[in-house]
Amino acid sequence: CRKVCRVFSDFITGRLLYSIILGIVLFIFLGLLQIPFYSVTSIGMGLLAFIPVIGTILSFVLGFLLCLLFAPSKCLLCAFGFFCVLLLGKIFLQPHVIRKNATCSVGLAILSTTVMYALFGVVGMIFAVPTFIILFRALNRFIRGRLNRDGSPPTGSASECSPSEEKEEQKSSSA
């Protein structure tokens, strides 16, 4: 139960902090580029960036459409601003803000977000990644337990768990 709470709390606090910082950086950057409605665009980015993968795409579309409607000559500049901010966020900000035990591969994030949106709507999109991380860890633990019971050692690491969590699991199982 503690691991489940830790995954959800790390994910929510990490995504919240990431979204706020990304919205502020985009506000400053688009303001310097004098893009119209940069405040609305950056607030939309801050709110939608909380949803993994799809939120950033939706916020880009929102900002690009606003720019296309009110200043078509600055559309390329707006797209460049979004690209720079998102690239800097993914490379430098996200690895430091979102903890390792609350992350997963991009493919799993897209799959989980799509499935949970189809089942539960926007709320499902928000909680999709931590839910799937927990499900995959439970499945991984079950498979490893079955393999160990059969006497054949598990090969490789097909785990979505972080190395620190695998060490914690080994310590708790040996105690």
Side-chain angles (χ1 to χ4, degrees), residues 27-127:
F27 179 83
I28 294 167
F29 197 71
L30 291 181
L32 290 174
L33 296 176
Q34 296 177 346
I35 303 295
F37 296 103
Y38 66 94
S39 58
V40 174
T41 304
S42 59
I43 289 171
M45 167 64 106
L47 293 174
L48 291 172
F50 193 80
I51 302 170
V53 182
I54 297 171
T56 53
I57 295 169
L58 291 175
S59 65
F60 170 74
V61 170
L62 169 76
F64 191 77
L65 287 176
L66 281 173
C67 193
L68 187 64
L69 287 172
F70 295 103
S73 61
K74 294 190 176 190
C75 282
L76 251 95
L77 199 57
C78 180
F80 174 74
F82 261 95
F83 179 73
C84 288
V85 169
L86 289 177
L87 188 66
L88 291 173
K90 290 288 182 189
I91 292 174
F92 297 111
L93 184 63
Q94 193 169 7
H96 297 292
V97 172
I98 300 176
R99 296 196 178 120
K100 291 290 182 191
N101 62 343
T103 59
C104 64
S105 65
V106 174
L108 179 63
I110 292 172
L111 175 71
S112 64
T113 306
T114 305
V115 168
M116 294 293 278
Y117 177 72
L119 294 175
F120 303 109
V122 176
V123 175
M125 288 173 68
I126 293 171
F127 296 110

